[in-house]
């Protein structure tokens, strides 16, 4: 026999009316006794036996049993009994928020899913369960009707993504239900649950300390950093940062005092002879931002071949003195950049015009990283060169309507006579040359390196395979997509079949929004049943008749009873 599903379990509270009615009958006032000297009249005026057993009185009371029956019938109507229709089935999709800030609440999320499974299973409808992560384009973690396998897949779920949009996963979940089921979003922040979407937030406010930034102190010291730590709590904290140097047994320690919701910085310089440092904050509930890896970066050596005037040679040498990797003596491992007046040069070069026409006009700049935020208003170039840009050139500067500077593949063209201008006395032309040299050095480095923020884009044309090593030593391999991992790790990027190493660096967890749990709180947005799902269940027949019968019982209980008593 199929046990019905009760759509309104609160209705069972109506059963409390039964002990209430019993209590009323138990407390009923007893009949009073009267003394009489006329013995022969005792049989006629003797009161009803009210002193017998209480249950005997209840057994003979029609009103009592009519009231009990009315309560039972009303309870049956109030609990809304129903049972599945023939061949009914449904799909329930749990969309798991895979953001890294869900890590402290994994156990809470699993409990909520188990509660929902029990809720849906109670109806008795055969259910197809689907576990879907919020990763865009991700495949389901589980799909089937075995609850034990679903829970096993759930235990392997590890949220680690940075901030992302969950709408695409919710749209996919809706498509998987085909209008005959439910979708349920499990997250830790209420604002991530869209309007009209069923979901539950299992988050709560927790104290958290985390690394929120790292930047080089200056370009001339690539292995010295300024590191920021944020206190995401309502009380001051004084963490002690542990620094482990590769190849050394001793540990370095850095003490910080951080006010609530404030950021503190400290400086760290990687010692000579050490290629890696591992930084650790004290353990807390959110571990993603507690670790940081810093790797030594060694700039690729480069040299210059100067074929220009002595005045420009002297100025160029001053520019490159502060660029890491510059060497005055060329060798086979160095990059060579030519500075020349030869317009026919086909190598990477900075080409300066040797002669030109006399004119004086205003200098204007294009929107380009090499010339942005530089002041060109003071540049005086009385002699404009006769070099013509190619159709593929990227313009940088204009002199009136004439092209003054542009990029032509791996060449920087300065179309004016340098010695006849005041370019050596201004910052803008100097920074333009420096930026181009640094760009040339970066683009021609055989193996790129760096300490980069998680989730950033790193385009590499020949990249095919990546290998990441977490702070715990776990190694992960996969196909390179151009996006840096979301968690702290050491990263290597290779060409196909690992024939050539293209990148070797470190990734640090950079999504500071994840580490602030002040907006996390528990909330439950209830299910919104669609018409298709309501049609999977049908009511137990006869509920209207049960209601009418309950009313009839109450009327019978209220009817007065006729008592035939003898009168004197």
């Amino acid at each position: 026999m199929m046990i019905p599903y009760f759509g309104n379990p609160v209705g069972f509270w109506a059963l409390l009316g039964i002990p209430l009615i019993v209590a009323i009958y138990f407390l009923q006032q007893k009949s009073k006794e009267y003394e009489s000297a006329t013995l022969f009249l005792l049989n006629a005026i003797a009161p009803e036996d009210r002193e017998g057993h209480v249950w005997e009185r209840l057994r003979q009371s029609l009103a009592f049993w009519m009231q009990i029956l009315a309560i039972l019938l009303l309870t049956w109507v109030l609990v809304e009994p129903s049972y599945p229709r023939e061949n009914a089935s449904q799909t329930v999709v749990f969309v798991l928020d895979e953001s890294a800030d869900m890590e402290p609440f994994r156990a809470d999320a699993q409990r909520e899913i188990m509660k929902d499974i029990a809720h849906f299973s109670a109806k008795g409808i055969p259910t197809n369960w689907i576990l879907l992560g919020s990763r865009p384009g991700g495949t389901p973690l589980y799909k089937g009707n075995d609850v034990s396998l679903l829970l096993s897949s759930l235990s392997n779920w590890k949220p680690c993504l940075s901030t992302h949009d969950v709408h695409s996963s919710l749209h996919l979940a809706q498509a998987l239900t085909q209008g005959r089921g439910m979708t349920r979003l499990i997250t830790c922040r209420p604002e991530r649950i869209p309007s009209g979407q069923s979901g539950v937030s299992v988050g709560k406010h927790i104290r958290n300390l985390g690394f929120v930034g790292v930047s080089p102190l200056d370009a001339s010291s690539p292995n010295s950093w300024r590191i920021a730590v944020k206190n995401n709590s309502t009380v001051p904290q004084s963490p002690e940062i542990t620094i482990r140097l590769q190849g050394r047994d001793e540990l370095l320690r850095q003490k910080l005092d951080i006010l609530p919701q404030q950021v503190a910085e400290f400086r760290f310089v990687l010692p000579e002879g050490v290629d890696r440092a591992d930084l650790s904050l004290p353990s807390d509930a959110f571990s993603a931002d507690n670790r940081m890896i810093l790797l030594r970066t060694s700039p690729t050596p480069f040299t210059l071949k100067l074929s220009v005037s002595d005045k420009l040679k002297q100025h160029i040498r001053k520019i490159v003195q502060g660029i890491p990797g510059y060497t005055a003596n060329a060798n086979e491992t160095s990059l060579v950049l030519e500075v020349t007046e030869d317009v026919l040069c086909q190598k990477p070069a900075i080409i300066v015009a040797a002669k030109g026409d006399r004119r004086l006009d205003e200098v204007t700049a294009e929107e380009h990283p090499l010339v942005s935020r530089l002041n060109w208003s003071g540049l005086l170039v009385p002699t404009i060169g006769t070099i013509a840009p190619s159709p593929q050139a990227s313009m940088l500067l204009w002199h009136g309507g004439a092209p003054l500077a542009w990029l032509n593949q791996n060449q920087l063209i300065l179309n004016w006579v340098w010695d006849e201008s005041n370019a050596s006395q201004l910052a803008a032309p100097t920074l333009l040359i420096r930026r181009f040299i640094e760009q040339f050095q970066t683009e021609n480095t055989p193996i790129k390196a760096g300490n980069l923020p998680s989730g950033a884009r790193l385009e590499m044309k020949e990249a095919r395979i990546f290998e990441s090593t977490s702070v715990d030593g776990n190694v992960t391999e996969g196909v390179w997509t151009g996006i840096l991992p979301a968690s702290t790790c050491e990263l290597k990027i290779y060409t196909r079949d690992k024939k050539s190493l293209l990148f070797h660096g470190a990734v640090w967890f950079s999504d500071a929004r994840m580490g602030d749990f002040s907006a996390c709180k528990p909330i439950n947005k209830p299910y919104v049943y669609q018409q298709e799902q309501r049609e999977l269940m049908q009511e137990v027949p006869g509920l209207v008749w049960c209601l009418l019968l309950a009313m009839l019982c109450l009327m019978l209980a209220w009817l007065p009873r006729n008592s035939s008593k003898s009168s004197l």
Side-chain angles (χ1 to χ4, degrees):
M1 180 178 178
M2 182 178 295
I3 299 176
Y5 170 76
F6 301 108
N8 182 33
V10 179
F12 281 110
W13 284 99
L15 293 175
L16 293 177
I18 295 178
L20 179 61
I21 292 175
V22 173
I24 292 174
Y25 275 84
F26 264 67
L27 296 176
Q28 187 177 25
Q29 187 177 3
K30 297 180 179 180
S31 300
K32 295 181 180 181
E33 296 180 353
Y34 297 92
E35 294 182 358
S36 173
T38 310
L39 299 178
F40 71 93
L41 296 177
L42 288 178
N43 292 333
I45 65 172
E48 294 180 359
D49 186 10
R50 304 282 181 170
E51 297 295 324
H53 197 278
V54 176
W55 290 111
E56 181 66 20
R57 297 203 319 269
L58 296 182
R59 186 179 66 83
Q60 298 177 2
S61 174
L62 177 64
F64 173 78
W65 292 111
M66 289 297 99
Q67 292 170 4
I68 296 296
L69 180 58
I71 289 177
L72 292 175
L73 291 171
L74 286 174
T75 302
W76 182 250
V77 174
L78 289 175
V79 296
E80 300 177 4
S82 61
Y83 58 91
R85 294 183 183 274
E86 187 178 359
N87 299 324
S89 64
Q90 66 179 347
T91 299
V92 177
V93 184
F94 297 106
V95 181
L96 300 169
D97 186 356
E98 295 187 276
S99 300
D101 55 0
M102 280 291 291
E103 177 64 27
F105 311 112
R106 288 181 67 238
D108 300 295
Q110 293 174 5
R111 281 193 294 269
E112 286 295 329
I113 291 178
M114 293 177 67
K115 287 168 54 178
D116 289 337
I117 290 175
H119 170 78
F120 284 108
S121 299
K123 295 184 177 182
I125 303 176
T127 305
N128 182 36
W129 309 102
I130 298 178
L131 279 180
L132 184 65
S134 61
R135 186 188 308 269
T139 57
L141 304 175
Y142 174 78
K143 186 176 182 180
N145 52 20
D146 191 325
V147 175
S148 60
L149 290 179
L150 180 147
L151 297 178
S152 176
S153 301
L154 183 61
S155 64
N156 297 325
W157 165 58
K158 294 183 179 180
C160 61
L161 297 184
S162 55
T163 301
H164 61 286
D165 189 2
V166 301
H167 284 80
S168 60
S169 297
L170 292 174
H171 291 325
L172 176 59
Q174 290 287 353
L176 291 174
T177 64
Q178 297 180 351
R180 302 189 68 84
M182 288 294 302
T183 63
R184 184 83 158 149
L185 175 62
I186 314 296
T187 183
C188 64
R189 299 178 188 263
E191 66 270 15
R192 293 179 184 167
I193 305 177
S195 177
Q197 170 64 47
S198 169
V200 59
S201 170
V202 296
K204 60 183 178 180
H205 179 65
I206 59 176
R207 294 183 182 181
N208 179 53
L209 277 167
F211 293 108
V212 293
V214 56
S215 58
L217 288 176
D218 54 68
S220 60
S221 303
N223 296 303
S224 56
W225 298 274
R226 181 183 294 107
I227 301 170
V229 180
K230 186 178 180 183
N231 175 15
N232 290 297
S233 71
T234 57
V235 297
Q237 298 196 60
S238 300
E240 185 177 69
I241 300 170
T242 302
I243 304 174
R244 183 182 299 275
L245 302 177
Q246 188 180 45
R248 299 189 182 183
D249 296 332
E250 71 274 13
L251 298 178
L252 304 180
R253 302 188 185 278
Q254 176 71 47
K255 186 73 174 294
L256 293 176
D257 295 317
I258 317 177
L259 295 175
Q261 297 297 323
Q262 297 297 314
V263 176
E265 292 185 340
F266 69 96
R267 295 185 177 187
F268 174 69
V269 179
L270 196 64
E272 291 295 331
V274 177
D275 294 331
R276 169 173 168 155
D278 292 78
L279 287 70
S280 303
L281 282 166
S283 299
D284 53 31
F286 185 57
S287 60
D289 57 1
N290 288 347
R291 304 286 293 273
M292 178 174 287
I293 300 173
L294 295 174
L295 297 181
R296 178 178 295 279
T297 57
S298 301
T300 302
F302 76 96
T303 189
L304 297 176
K305 179 181 178 181
L306 302 175
S307 303
V308 290
S309 65
D310 293 339
K311 181 179 179 181
L312 184 54
K313 284 181 182 180
Q314 184 179 2
H315 186 69
I316 293 294
R317 289 193 180 102
K318 290 180 180 180
I319 294 175
V320 298
Q321 288 298 327
I323 301 178
Y326 170 71
T327 175
N329 300 318
N331 54 60
E332 64 273 8
T333 62
S334 298
L335 300 174
V336 179
L337 179 65
E338 190 168 354
V339 182
T340 180
E341 296 177 345
D342 181 8
V343 296
L344 299 178
C345 179
Q346 300 298 319
K347 301 177 181 179
I350 299 175
I351 299 177
V352 182
K355 58 183 179 179
D357 300 328
R358 302 286 297 183
R359 58 181 297 179
L360 190 62
D361 212 330
E362 182 180 1
V363 177
T364 57
E366 293 281 355
E367 289 293 331
H368 194 280
L370 291 183
V371 295
S372 65
R373 298 184 181 180
L374 299 179
N375 184 10
W376 297 96
S377 60
L379 179 60
L380 301 177
V381 284
T383 307
I384 303 300
T386 58
I387 307 174
S390 65
Q392 296 79 25
S394 298
M395 301 306 302
L396 301 176
L397 298 174
W398 296 89
H399 188 261
L404 187 63
W406 61 88
L407 284 177
N408 187 15
Q409 294 182 350
N410 56 358
Q411 294 181 338
L412 172 63
I413 313 298
L414 303 178
N415 192 28
W416 75 85
V417 179
W418 186 278
D419 291 348
E420 296 183 10
S421 69
N422 65 341
S424 298
Q425 286 77 43
L426 299 178
T430 300
L431 290 175
L432 169 59
I433 294 175
R434 182 186 178 96
R435 289 176 179 179
F436 175 77
I437 294 175
E438 291 175 345
Q439 176 179 294
F440 160 78
Q441 186 184 17
T442 301
E443 291 179 351
N444 291 275
T445 300
I447 301 176
K448 298 183 184 300
N451 298 281
L452 305 176
S454 62
R457 181 171 293 276
L458 181 62
E459 295 290 353
M460 308 186 78
K461 294 182 180 180
E462 298 181 358
R464 292 294 181 272
I465 300 174
F466 78 90
E467 177 184 282
S468 64
T469 305
S470 69
V471 291
D472 298 323
N474 298 321
V475 180
T476 303
E477 291 190 6
V479 178
W480 179 246
T481 61
I483 304 296
L484 293 172
S487 57
T488 301
C489 65
E490 182 178 349
L491 180 66
K492 295 181 180 180
I493 303 175
Y494 300 89
T495 58
R496 193 182 302 275
D497 300 327
K498 290 189 174 181
K499 291 183 178 180
S500 299
L501 178 64
L502 301 176
F503 175 85
H504 182 201
V507 177
W508 53 276
F509 184 80
S510 62
D511 198 337
R513 295 170 293 179
M514 293 280 182
D516 188 355
F517 294 88
S518 59
C520 292
K521 61 180 180 180
I523 192 173
N524 192 347
K525 288 192 175 182
Y527 300 98
V528 180
Y529 290 96
Q530 299 176 355
Q531 183 63 32
E532 292 83 354
Q533 190 182 17
R534 293 192 184 99
E535 294 175 354
L536 298 176
M537 304 290 291
Q538 62 181 3
E539 292 183 349
V540 172
L543 292 181
V544 176
W545 290 106
C546 289
L547 182 61
L548 295 175
L549 184 58
M551 296 175 63
L552 179 61
C553 291
L554 291 176
M555 293 175 62
L556 292 175
W558 292 336
L559 288 176
R561 291 181 299 167
N562 293 324
S563 58
S564 58
K565 294 185 178 181
S566 300
S567 59
L568 291 175

